[in-house]
Amino acid sequence: MKIHLILFLITLAVSLTVRADKGNETYFFRTVNYQQGLSNSAVLSIFQDNEGLMWFGTYDGVNCYDGKDIDVYRSDFSTNLSNNVIYRIRQADNNCLWITTGAGQNRFSPALRRVVGTYDLPDGNCLHSNRNGNAWIIGYDWIRYYNTHYDRFVEVERPPMVIDNLMTRAFVADDGKLWLFPNSSTGEIYQFSVDSFDQDTLSVSPHIFTYTFHSK
C-alpha cells in the first residue's frame, strides 16, 4: 500500500510539473515584512487597486506596496484616517479607495495621500464595491448605496431578511448590482440595483429581484 501511495504522489508531482511547463508561466514569490517597511505583521486586509498597487490593512495603518517600496499611512493630521486598525480596503470612485477602519468608513485618495471623505454610519456594517467603484454598504437591518453626486450613502428599502454574515454574504457585480445571500438556510438570493449611482435625488426606489436556489 505504501509503495502504491508513493508512486501515486510521484506521478501526480510529475503531472503537475509538466502542466506548469506547458503553460509557459513563471511565478515569483517574494516575502513582504518589516524589512521592506511593513508597519505591522497583523495583516487584516489585502487588496490590489486599479493601478496594480498592493494595499495591506494592518493593526497599525495602511501600507501601499509598489513591488519595491512600502508607504505607510496612519491616523495623523496629514492623512486624517479615522483609526489605525484597518479591516478592509476596496476600490472607490475617482481612483480612490474605501478604507474600513476601527472607527468608520474613509474614502482615501492615493494621489493626495489623504482621506477625502469620512462617513458617520451605524455600527455593524460592511462595505462592498466593484472595480468601477460602485459601492453598497449593508447592516443587519439596512442597506445603502453610495451616491457620487451627493457624496453620501443613501438608504434604500429592503425586504425582511436576516443576514448572518455581513462580509461573506454579499458582493457587487461588474454592472453595479448588489447580490445578497442572507443566510445559508433560506435558499434565497436578493439582487439590488439603482438606475444610476450619480442620481440628482436622494429619494430612490431600488430594483429588487428575488431568486431561489438549493439550500445546500
Side-chain angles (χ1 to χ4, degrees):
M1 178 63 72
K2 290 184 178 179
I3 294 177
H4 290 161
L5 178 60
I6 292 172
L7 290 175
F8 170 76
L9 293 176
I10 292 174
T11 303
L12 178 62
V14 171
S15 175
L16 292 176
T17 302
V18 171
R19 185 171 298 178
D21 290 341
K22 287 184 177 180
N24 293 322
E25 295 180 349
T26 302
Y27 299 94
F28 298 95
F29 293 88
R30 181 181 302 170
T31 300
V32 179
N33 54 31
Y34 70 93
Q35 293 179 331
Q36 283 73 41
L38 191 68
S39 63
N40 193 281
S41 60
V43 177
L44 305 179
S45 179
I46 299 176
F47 179 73
Q48 185 176 33
D49 68 14
N50 288 341
E51 302 297 322
L53 296 173
M54 296 299 302
W55 295 82
F56 306 105
T58 74
Y59 265 108
D60 187 23
V62 178
N63 294 248
C64 178
Y65 181 56
D66 62 3
K68 182 179 179 181
D69 300 312
I70 290 181
D71 292 325
V72 180
Y73 305 97
R74 295 185 174 91
S75 57
D76 53 32
F77 291 108
S78 62
T79 64
N80 289 328
L81 277 172
S82 299
N83 192 272
N84 278 334
V85 181
I86 311 300
Y87 289 109
R88 196 169 170 87
I89 301 173
R90 288 292 180 267
Q91 193 70 47
D93 60 302
N94 298 326
N95 295 318
C96 289
L97 298 174
W98 290 113
I99 297 181
T100 303
T101 76
Q105 298 289 346
N106 292 177
R107 199 162 108 250
F108 181 84
S109 169
L112 300 176
R113 302 191 174 205
R114 64 180 177 86
V115 171
V116 294
T118 57
Y119 304 88
D120 186 18
L121 297 162
D123 293 335
N125 62 70
C126 185
L127 186 145
H128 298 272
S129 177
N130 62 14
R131 289 288 176 175
N132 298 318
N134 304 136
W136 297 77
I137 190 165
I138 61 175
Y140 285 104
D141 57 0
W142 54 269
I143 295 177
R144 301 181 185 185
Y145 82 97
Y146 179 67
N147 185 300
T148 58
H149 181 84
Y150 287 99
D151 185 25
R152 61 178 291 184
F153 286 95
V154 180
E155 188 165 355
V156 299
E157 62 179 311
R158 45 151 266 180
M161 63 178 70
V162 177
I163 306 174
D164 59 15
N165 191 312
L166 298 177
M167 182 175 293
T168 63
R169 290 295 180 187
F171 70 92
V172 180
D174 291 341
D175 56 8
K177 295 177 181 177
L178 172 70
W179 290 85
L180 183 60
F181 304 73
N183 57 69
S184 59
S185 60
T186 61
E188 293 181 331
I189 307 174
Y190 292 87
Q191 181 198 87
F192 295 81
S193 65
V194 292
D195 292 330
S196 174
F197 285 85
D198 62 353
Q199 299 180 73
D200 186 11
T201 177
L202 297 178
S203 179
V204 176
S205 296
H207 307 291
I208 306 173
F209 297 94
T210 305
Y211 305 91
T212 58
F213 68 103
H214 197 282
S215 60
K216 298 301 181 182

PDB file of all heavy atoms in Angstrom, residues 11-46:
ATOM      1  N   THR A  11       3.812  10.361  -9.477  1.00  0.00           N
ATOM      2  CA  THR A  11       3.120  10.584 -10.750  1.00  0.00           C
ATOM      3  C   THR A  11       2.377  11.908 -10.751  1.00  0.00           C
ATOM      4  O   THR A  11       2.387  12.657 -11.732  1.00  0.00           O
ATOM      5  CB  THR A  11       2.135   9.430 -11.015  1.00  0.00           C
ATOM      6  OG1 THR A  11       2.846   8.190 -11.005  1.00  0.00           O
ATOM      7  CG2 THR A  11       1.442   9.618 -12.363  1.00  0.00           C
ATOM      8  N   LEU A  12       1.714  12.220  -9.622  1.00  0.00           N
ATOM      9  CA  LEU A  12       0.970  13.476  -9.521  1.00  0.00           C
ATOM     10  C   LEU A  12       1.913  14.667  -9.616  1.00  0.00           C
ATOM     11  O   LEU A  12       1.629  15.649 -10.315  1.00  0.00           O
ATOM     12  CB  LEU A  12       0.198  13.513  -8.204  1.00  0.00           C
ATOM     13  CG  LEU A  12      -0.600  14.801  -7.919  1.00  0.00           C
ATOM     14  CD1 LEU A  12      -1.659  14.990  -9.000  1.00  0.00           C
ATOM     15  CD2 LEU A  12      -1.253  14.732  -6.543  1.00  0.00           C
ATOM     16  N   ALA A  13       3.051  14.608  -8.954  1.00  0.00           N
ATOM     17  CA  ALA A  13       4.010  15.713  -8.982  1.00  0.00           C
ATOM     18  C   ALA A  13       4.544  15.942 -10.387  1.00  0.00           C
ATOM     19  O   ALA A  13       4.658  17.073 -10.854  1.00  0.00           O
ATOM     20  CB  ALA A  13       5.157  15.426  -8.009  1.00  0.00           C
ATOM     21  N   VAL A  14       4.875  14.852 -11.088  1.00  0.00           N
ATOM     22  CA  VAL A  14       5.381  14.967 -12.460  1.00  0.00           C
ATOM     23  C   VAL A  14       4.307  15.560 -13.370  1.00  0.00           C
ATOM     24  O   VAL A  14       4.579  16.415 -14.209  1.00  0.00           O
ATOM     25  CB  VAL A  14       5.827  13.585 -12.985  1.00  0.00           C
ATOM     26  CG1 VAL A  14       6.148  13.666 -14.465  1.00  0.00           C
ATOM     27  CG2 VAL A  14       7.041  13.103 -12.206  1.00  0.00           C
ATOM     28  N   SER A  15       3.055  15.113 -13.172  1.00  0.00           N
ATOM     29  CA  SER A  15       1.956  15.619 -13.985  1.00  0.00           C
ATOM     30  C   SER A  15       1.765  17.119 -13.795  1.00  0.00           C
ATOM     31  O   SER A  15       1.599  17.865 -14.757  1.00  0.00           O
ATOM     32  CB  SER A  15       0.668  14.878 -13.627  1.00  0.00           C
ATOM     33  OG  SER A  15      -0.425  15.423 -14.322  1.00  0.00           O
ATOM     34  N   LEU A  16       1.821  17.570 -12.541  1.00  0.00           N
ATOM     35  CA  LEU A  16       1.653  18.994 -12.262  1.00  0.00           C
ATOM     36  C   LEU A  16       2.812  19.799 -12.827  1.00  0.00           C
ATOM     37  O   LEU A  16       2.631  20.899 -13.335  1.00  0.00           O
ATOM     38  CB  LEU A  16       1.537  19.215 -10.751  1.00  0.00           C
ATOM     39  CG  LEU A  16       0.263  18.671 -10.100  1.00  0.00           C
ATOM     40  CD1 LEU A  16       0.316  18.866  -8.595  1.00  0.00           C
ATOM     41  CD2 LEU A  16      -0.982  19.330 -10.684  1.00  0.00           C
ATOM     42  N   THR A  17       4.020  19.246 -12.756  1.00  0.00           N
ATOM     43  CA  THR A  17       5.192  19.947 -13.287  1.00  0.00           C
ATOM     44  C   THR A  17       5.079  20.122 -14.794  1.00  0.00           C
ATOM     45  O   THR A  17       5.335  21.196 -15.346  1.00  0.00           O
ATOM     46  CB  THR A  17       6.473  19.176 -12.945  1.00  0.00           C
ATOM     47  OG1 THR A  17       6.567  19.043 -11.529  1.00  0.00           O
ATOM     48  CG2 THR A  17       7.699  19.910 -13.468  1.00  0.00           C
ATOM     49  N   VAL A  18       4.687  19.051 -15.490  1.00  0.00           N
ATOM     50  CA  VAL A  18       4.526  19.117 -16.944  1.00  0.00           C
ATOM     51  C   VAL A  18       3.452  20.123 -17.313  1.00  0.00           C
ATOM     52  O   VAL A  18       3.601  20.918 -18.240  1.00  0.00           O
ATOM     53  CB  VAL A  18       4.182  17.714 -17.504  1.00  0.00           C
ATOM     54  CG1 VAL A  18       3.807  17.816 -18.972  1.00  0.00           C
ATOM     55  CG2 VAL A  18       5.380  16.780 -17.326  1.00  0.00           C
ATOM     56  N   ARG A  19       2.345  20.112 -16.566  1.00  0.00           N
ATOM     57  CA  ARG A  19       1.258  21.043 -16.863  1.00  0.00           C
ATOM     58  C   ARG A  19       1.732  22.478 -16.682  1.00  0.00           C
ATOM     59  O   ARG A  19       1.383  23.357 -17.462  1.00  0.00           O
ATOM     60  CB  ARG A  19       0.072  20.748 -15.942  1.00  0.00           C
ATOM     61  CG  ARG A  19      -1.156  21.584 -16.249  1.00  0.00           C
ATOM     62  CD  ARG A  19      -2.362  21.095 -15.468  1.00  0.00           C
ATOM     63  NE  ARG A  19      -2.704  19.719 -15.822  1.00  0.00           N
ATOM     64  CZ  ARG A  19      -3.693  19.044 -15.262  1.00  0.00           C
ATOM     65  NH1 ARG A  19      -4.426  19.599 -14.330  1.00  0.00           N
ATOM     66  NH2 ARG A  19      -3.950  17.799 -15.633  1.00  0.00           N
ATOM     67  N   ALA A  20       2.535  22.734 -15.671  1.00  0.00           N
ATOM     68  CA  ALA A  20       3.048  24.086 -15.452  1.00  0.00           C
ATOM     69  C   ALA A  20       3.996  24.489 -16.572  1.00  0.00           C
ATOM     70  O   ALA A  20       3.982  25.609 -17.056  1.00  0.00           O
ATOM     71  CB  ALA A  20       3.748  24.158 -14.095  1.00  0.00           C
ATOM     72  N   ASP A  21       4.845  23.535 -17.022  1.00  0.00           N
ATOM     73  CA  ASP A  21       5.786  23.835 -18.103  1.00  0.00           C
ATOM     74  C   ASP A  21       5.048  24.144 -19.392  1.00  0.00           C
ATOM     75  O   ASP A  21       5.424  25.045 -20.144  1.00  0.00           O
ATOM     76  CB  ASP A  21       6.734  22.651 -18.318  1.00  0.00           C
ATOM     77  CG  ASP A  21       7.718  22.499 -17.160  1.00  0.00           C
ATOM     78  OD1 ASP A  21       7.889  23.496 -16.429  1.00  0.00           O
ATOM     79  OD2 ASP A  21       8.289  21.413 -17.008  1.00  0.00           O
ATOM     80  N   LYS A  22       3.982  23.387 -19.682  1.00  0.00           N
ATOM     81  CA  LYS A  22       3.242  23.605 -20.913  1.00  0.00           C
ATOM     82  C   LYS A  22       2.579  24.980 -20.919  1.00  0.00           C
ATOM     83  O   LYS A  22       2.360  25.561 -21.962  1.00  0.00           O
ATOM     84  CB  LYS A  22       2.182  22.501 -21.087  1.00  0.00           C
ATOM     85  CG  LYS A  22       2.776  21.151 -21.482  1.00  0.00           C
ATOM     86  CD  LYS A  22       1.684  20.132 -21.722  1.00  0.00           C
ATOM     87  CE  LYS A  22       2.261  18.795 -22.180  1.00  0.00           C
ATOM     88  NZ  LYS A  22       1.211  17.794 -22.415  1.00  0.00           N
ATOM     89  N   GLY A  23       2.238  25.484 -19.721  1.00  0.00           N
ATOM     90  CA  GLY A  23       1.612  26.784 -19.654  1.00  0.00           C
ATOM     91  C   GLY A  23       2.584  27.913 -19.904  1.00  0.00           C
ATOM     92  O   GLY A  23       2.178  29.047 -20.154  1.00  0.00           O
ATOM     93  N   ASN A  24       3.891  27.636 -19.866  1.00  0.00           N
ATOM     94  CA  ASN A  24       4.926  28.649 -20.078  1.00  0.00           C
ATOM     95  C   ASN A  24       4.730  29.851 -19.162  1.00  0.00           C
ATOM     96  O   ASN A  24       4.917  30.999 -19.552  1.00  0.00           O
ATOM     97  CB  ASN A  24       4.928  29.121 -21.550  1.00  0.00           C
ATOM     98  CG  ASN A  24       5.365  28.010 -22.491  1.00  0.00           C
ATOM     99  OD1 ASN A  24       6.256  27.231 -22.161  1.00  0.00           O
ATOM    100  ND2 ASN A  24       4.735  27.944 -23.653  1.00  0.00           N
ATOM    101  N   GLU A  25       4.314  29.591 -17.927  1.00  0.00           N
ATOM    102  CA  GLU A  25       4.121  30.656 -16.958  1.00  0.00           C
ATOM    103  C   GLU A  25       5.087  30.457 -15.799  1.00  0.00           C
ATOM    104  O   GLU A  25       5.283  29.345 -15.323  1.00  0.00           O
ATOM    105  CB  GLU A  25       2.686  30.671 -16.445  1.00  0.00           C
ATOM    106  CG  GLU A  25       1.660  31.012 -17.535  1.00  0.00           C
ATOM    107  CD  GLU A  25       0.257  31.017 -16.994  1.00  0.00           C
ATOM    108  OE1 GLU A  25       0.066  30.558 -15.859  1.00  0.00           O
ATOM    109  OE2 GLU A  25      -0.645  31.475 -17.702  1.00  0.00           O
ATOM    110  N   THR A  26       5.681  31.559 -15.370  1.00  0.00           N
ATOM    111  CA  THR A  26       6.605  31.505 -14.252  1.00  0.00           C
ATOM    112  C   THR A  26       6.104  32.440 -13.160  1.00  0.00           C
ATOM    113  O   THR A  26       5.718  33.580 -13.440  1.00  0.00           O
ATOM    114  CB  THR A  26       8.011  31.962 -14.684  1.00  0.00           C
ATOM    115  OG1 THR A  26       8.455  31.125 -15.758  1.00  0.00           O
ATOM    116  CG2 THR A  26       8.989  31.845 -13.525  1.00  0.00           C
ATOM    117  N   TYR A  27       6.075  31.949 -11.948  1.00  0.00           N
ATOM    118  CA  TYR A  27       5.604  32.733 -10.822  1.00  0.00           C
ATOM    119  C   TYR A  27       6.750  32.938  -9.836  1.00  0.00           C
ATOM    120  O   TYR A  27       7.476  32.011  -9.512  1.00  0.00           O
ATOM    121  CB  TYR A  27       4.438  32.031 -10.121  1.00  0.00           C
ATOM    122  CG  TYR A  27       3.235  31.836 -11.015  1.00  0.00           C
ATOM    123  CD1 TYR A  27       3.052  30.648 -11.725  1.00  0.00           C
ATOM    124  CD2 TYR A  27       2.291  32.845 -11.160  1.00  0.00           C
ATOM    125  CE1 TYR A  27       1.955  30.477 -12.557  1.00  0.00           C
ATOM    126  CE2 TYR A  27       1.187  32.676 -11.981  1.00  0.00           C
ATOM    127  CZ  TYR A  27       1.018  31.495 -12.674  1.00  0.00           C
ATOM    128  OH  TYR A  27      -0.067  31.323 -13.493  1.00  0.00           O
ATOM    129  N   PHE A  28       6.881  34.176  -9.374  1.00  0.00           N
ATOM    130  CA  PHE A  28       7.896  34.505  -8.392  1.00  0.00           C
ATOM    131  C   PHE A  28       7.198  34.934  -7.109  1.00  0.00           C
ATOM    132  O   PHE A  28       6.306  35.778  -7.135  1.00  0.00           O
ATOM    133  CB  PHE A  28       8.806  35.639  -8.902  1.00  0.00           C
ATOM    134  CG  PHE A  28       9.576  35.292 -10.139  1.00  0.00           C
ATOM    135  CD1 PHE A  28       9.095  35.634 -11.389  1.00  0.00           C
ATOM    136  CD2 PHE A  28      10.784  34.605 -10.055  1.00  0.00           C
ATOM    137  CE1 PHE A  28       9.796  35.306 -12.542  1.00  0.00           C
ATOM    138  CE2 PHE A  28      11.486  34.276 -11.198  1.00  0.00           C
ATOM    139  CZ  PHE A  28      10.997  34.624 -12.448  1.00  0.00           C
ATOM    140  N   PHE A  29       7.620  34.360  -6.007  1.00  0.00           N
ATOM    141  CA  PHE A  29       7.043  34.710  -4.712  1.00  0.00           C
ATOM    142  C   PHE A  29       8.092  35.457  -3.888  1.00  0.00           C
ATOM    143  O   PHE A  29       9.248  35.061  -3.838  1.00  0.00           O
ATOM    144  CB  PHE A  29       6.589  33.451  -3.965  1.00  0.00           C
ATOM    145  CG  PHE A  29       5.441  32.758  -4.621  1.00  0.00           C
ATOM    146  CD1 PHE A  29       5.653  31.798  -5.594  1.00  0.00           C
ATOM    147  CD2 PHE A  29       4.140  33.066  -4.277  1.00  0.00           C
ATOM    148  CE1 PHE A  29       4.605  31.162  -6.219  1.00  0.00           C
ATOM    149  CE2 PHE A  29       3.073  32.436  -4.893  1.00  0.00           C
ATOM    150  CZ  PHE A  29       3.303  31.487  -5.864  1.00  0.00           C
ATOM    151  N   ARG A  30       7.659  36.549  -3.292  1.00  0.00           N
ATOM    152  CA  ARG A  30       8.564  37.377  -2.513  1.00  0.00           C
ATOM    153  C   ARG A  30       7.927  37.674  -1.162  1.00  0.00           C
ATOM    154  O   ARG A  30       6.737  37.977  -1.073  1.00  0.00           O
ATOM    155  CB  ARG A  30       8.855  38.687  -3.252  1.00  0.00           C
ATOM    156  CG  ARG A  30       9.807  39.639  -2.538  1.00  0.00           C
ATOM    157  CD  ARG A  30      10.007  40.904  -3.348  1.00  0.00           C
ATOM    158  NE  ARG A  30      10.520  40.597  -4.684  1.00  0.00           N
ATOM    159  CZ  ARG A  30      10.611  41.488  -5.663  1.00  0.00           C
ATOM    160  NH1 ARG A  30      10.214  42.737  -5.455  1.00  0.00           N
ATOM    161  NH2 ARG A  30      11.083  41.147  -6.845  1.00  0.00           N
ATOM    162  N   THR A  31       8.710  37.582  -0.114  1.00  0.00           N
ATOM    163  CA  THR A  31       8.228  37.878   1.229  1.00  0.00           C
ATOM    164  C   THR A  31       8.217  39.379   1.465  1.00  0.00           C
ATOM    165  O   THR A  31       9.181  40.077   1.171  1.00  0.00           O
ATOM    166  CB  THR A  31       9.118  37.202   2.290  1.00  0.00           C
ATOM    167  OG1 THR A  31       9.109  35.784   2.092  1.00  0.00           O
ATOM    168  CG2 THR A  31       8.613  37.517   3.699  1.00  0.00           C
ATOM    169  N   VAL A  32       7.103  39.871   1.974  1.00  0.00           N
ATOM    170  CA  VAL A  32       6.988  41.279   2.350  1.00  0.00           C
ATOM    171  C   VAL A  32       6.759  41.335   3.854  1.00  0.00           C
ATOM    172  O   VAL A  32       5.751  40.822   4.349  1.00  0.00           O
ATOM    173  CB  VAL A  32       5.818  41.964   1.604  1.00  0.00           C
ATOM    174  CG1 VAL A  32       5.699  43.417   2.019  1.00  0.00           C
ATOM    175  CG2 VAL A  32       6.005  41.853   0.097  1.00  0.00           C
ATOM    176  N   ASN A  33       7.706  41.929   4.577  1.00  0.00           N
ATOM    177  CA  ASN A  33       7.580  42.016   6.027  1.00  0.00           C
ATOM    178  C   ASN A  33       8.178  43.332   6.523  1.00  0.00           C
ATOM    179  O   ASN A  33       8.328  44.281   5.759  1.00  0.00           O
ATOM    180  CB  ASN A  33       8.247  40.807   6.698  1.00  0.00           C
ATOM    181  CG  ASN A  33       9.697  40.616   6.254  1.00  0.00           C
ATOM    182  OD1 ASN A  33      10.389  41.595   5.947  1.00  0.00           O
ATOM    183  ND2 ASN A  33      10.144  39.370   6.218  1.00  0.00           N
ATOM    184  N   TYR A  34       8.522  43.377   7.800  1.00  0.00           N
ATOM    185  CA  TYR A  34       9.023  44.616   8.387  1.00  0.00           C
ATOM    186  C   TYR A  34      10.327  45.074   7.738  1.00  0.00           C
ATOM    187  O   TYR A  34      10.643  46.267   7.744  1.00  0.00           O
ATOM    188  CB  TYR A  34       9.217  44.435   9.900  1.00  0.00           C
ATOM    189  CG  TYR A  34      10.361  43.520  10.263  1.00  0.00           C
ATOM    190  CD1 TYR A  34      11.631  44.024  10.508  1.00  0.00           C
ATOM    191  CD2 TYR A  34      10.178  42.139  10.364  1.00  0.00           C
ATOM    192  CE1 TYR A  34      12.689  43.186  10.836  1.00  0.00           C
ATOM    193  CE2 TYR A  34      11.217  41.304  10.680  1.00  0.00           C
ATOM    194  CZ  TYR A  34      12.471  41.824  10.923  1.00  0.00           C
ATOM    195  OH  TYR A  34      13.520  40.998  11.236  1.00  0.00           O
ATOM    196  N   GLN A  35      11.081  44.143   7.153  1.00  0.00           N
ATOM    197  CA  GLN A  35      12.333  44.528   6.498  1.00  0.00           C
ATOM    198  C   GLN A  35      12.073  45.379   5.257  1.00  0.00           C
ATOM    199  O   GLN A  35      12.914  46.186   4.868  1.00  0.00           O
ATOM    200  CB  GLN A  35      13.135  43.284   6.131  1.00  0.00           C
ATOM    201  CG  GLN A  35      13.650  42.511   7.343  1.00  0.00           C
ATOM    202  CD  GLN A  35      14.419  41.269   6.947  1.00  0.00           C
ATOM    203  OE1 GLN A  35      14.161  40.672   5.907  1.00  0.00           O
ATOM    204  NE2 GLN A  35      15.393  40.880   7.783  1.00  0.00           N
ATOM    205  N   GLN A  36      10.925  45.187   4.633  1.00  0.00           N
ATOM    206  CA  GLN A  36      10.545  46.021   3.494  1.00  0.00           C
ATOM    207  C   GLN A  36       9.767  47.264   3.938  1.00  0.00           C
ATOM    208  O   GLN A  36       9.445  48.110   3.120  1.00  0.00           O
ATOM    209  CB  GLN A  36       9.688  45.218   2.501  1.00  0.00           C
ATOM    210  CG  GLN A  36      10.469  44.249   1.630  1.00  0.00           C
ATOM    211  CD  GLN A  36      10.946  43.035   2.407  1.00  0.00           C
ATOM    212  OE1 GLN A  36      10.222  42.492   3.228  1.00  0.00           O
ATOM    213  NE2 GLN A  36      12.184  42.636   2.154  1.00  0.00           N
ATOM    214  N   GLY A  37       9.463  47.336   5.233  1.00  0.00           N
ATOM    215  CA  GLY A  37       8.770  48.510   5.756  1.00  0.00           C
ATOM    216  C   GLY A  37       7.336  48.281   6.169  1.00  0.00           C
ATOM    217  O   GLY A  37       6.622  49.251   6.460  1.00  0.00           O
ATOM    218  N   LEU A  38       6.885  47.011   6.189  1.00  0.00           N
ATOM    219  CA  LEU A  38       5.519  46.724   6.618  1.00  0.00           C
ATOM    220  C   LEU A  38       5.320  47.200   8.051  1.00  0.00           C
ATOM    221  O   LEU A  38       6.120  46.891   8.935  1.00  0.00           O
ATOM    222  CB  LEU A  38       5.242  45.226   6.505  1.00  0.00           C
ATOM    223  CG  LEU A  38       3.787  44.780   6.659  1.00  0.00           C
ATOM    224  CD1 LEU A  38       2.948  45.265   5.482  1.00  0.00           C
ATOM    225  CD2 LEU A  38       3.708  43.255   6.758  1.00  0.00           C
ATOM    226  N   SER A  39       4.252  47.965   8.289  1.00  0.00           N
ATOM    227  CA  SER A  39       4.089  48.622   9.586  1.00  0.00           C
ATOM    228  C   SER A  39       3.711  47.656  10.700  1.00  0.00           C
ATOM    229  O   SER A  39       3.995  47.931  11.875  1.00  0.00           O
ATOM    230  CB  SER A  39       3.026  49.718   9.491  1.00  0.00           C
ATOM    231  OG  SER A  39       1.758  49.165   9.175  1.00  0.00           O
ATOM    232  N   ASN A  40       3.060  46.529  10.357  1.00  0.00           N
ATOM    233  CA  ASN A  40       2.615  45.599  11.388  1.00  0.00           C
ATOM    234  C   ASN A  40       2.442  44.224  10.773  1.00  0.00           C
ATOM    235  O   ASN A  40       1.992  44.105   9.630  1.00  0.00           O
ATOM    236  CB  ASN A  40       1.304  46.091  12.013  1.00  0.00           C
ATOM    237  CG  ASN A  40       0.951  45.369  13.288  1.00  0.00           C
ATOM    238  OD1 ASN A  40       0.443  44.252  13.266  1.00  0.00           O
ATOM    239  ND2 ASN A  40       1.209  46.006  14.417  1.00  0.00           N
ATOM    240  N   SER A  41       2.762  43.185  11.522  1.00  0.00           N
ATOM    241  CA  SER A  41       2.684  41.822  10.983  1.00  0.00           C
ATOM    242  C   SER A  41       1.258  41.278  10.992  1.00  0.00           C
ATOM    243  O   SER A  41       0.980  40.255  10.359  1.00  0.00           O
ATOM    244  CB  SER A  41       3.587  40.884  11.786  1.00  0.00           C
ATOM    245  OG  SER A  41       3.191  40.858  13.152  1.00  0.00           O
ATOM    246  N   ALA A  42       0.345  41.947  11.696  1.00  0.00           N
ATOM    247  CA  ALA A  42      -1.063  41.523  11.706  1.00  0.00           C
ATOM    248  C   ALA A  42      -1.768  42.175  10.524  1.00  0.00           C
ATOM    249  O   ALA A  42      -2.224  43.322  10.607  1.00  0.00           O
ATOM    250  CB  ALA A  42      -1.726  41.903  13.020  1.00  0.00           C
ATOM    251  N   VAL A  43      -1.853  41.457   9.397  1.00  0.00           N
ATOM    252  CA  VAL A  43      -2.469  41.978   8.173  1.00  0.00           C
ATOM    253  C   VAL A  43      -3.920  41.496   8.114  1.00  0.00           C
ATOM    254  O   VAL A  43      -4.181  40.300   8.059  1.00  0.00           O
ATOM    255  CB  VAL A  43      -1.694  41.521   6.928  1.00  0.00           C
ATOM    256  CG1 VAL A  43      -2.383  42.007   5.660  1.00  0.00           C
ATOM    257  CG2 VAL A  43      -0.257  42.037   6.978  1.00  0.00           C
ATOM    258  N   LEU A  44      -4.853  42.443   8.127  1.00  0.00           N
ATOM    259  CA  LEU A  44      -6.275  42.119   8.151  1.00  0.00           C
ATOM    260  C   LEU A  44      -6.921  42.168   6.771  1.00  0.00           C
ATOM    261  O   LEU A  44      -7.981  41.590   6.564  1.00  0.00           O
ATOM    262  CB  LEU A  44      -7.015  43.089   9.079  1.00  0.00           C
ATOM    263  CG  LEU A  44      -6.482  43.191  10.518  1.00  0.00           C
ATOM    264  CD1 LEU A  44      -7.293  44.208  11.305  1.00  0.00           C
ATOM    265  CD2 LEU A  44      -6.511  41.836  11.198  1.00  0.00           C
ATOM    266  N   SER A  45      -6.305  42.878   5.822  1.00  0.00           N
ATOM    267  CA  SER A  45      -6.897  43.022   4.502  1.00  0.00           C
ATOM    268  C   SER A  45      -5.804  43.176   3.453  1.00  0.00           C
ATOM    269  O   SER A  45      -4.795  43.842   3.701  1.00  0.00           O
ATOM    270  CB  SER A  45      -7.829  44.240   4.470  1.00  0.00           C
ATOM    271  OG  SER A  45      -8.399  44.416   3.191  1.00  0.00           O
ATOM    272  N   ILE A  46      -6.009  42.549   2.290  1.00  0.00           N
ATOM    273  CA  ILE A  46      -5.093  42.674   1.157  1.00  0.00           C
ATOM    274  C   ILE A  46      -5.918  43.033  -0.069  1.00  0.00           C
ATOM    275  O   ILE A  46      -6.946  42.406  -0.338  1.00  0.00           O
ATOM    276  CB  ILE A  46      -4.315  41.371   0.903  1.00  0.00           C
ATOM    277  CG1 ILE A  46      -3.473  41.004   2.130  1.00  0.00           C
ATOM    278  CG2 ILE A  46      -3.420  41.507  -0.322  1.00  0.00           C
ATOM    279  CD1 ILE A  46      -2.752  39.668   1.991  1.00  0.00           C
TER     280      ILE A  46
END
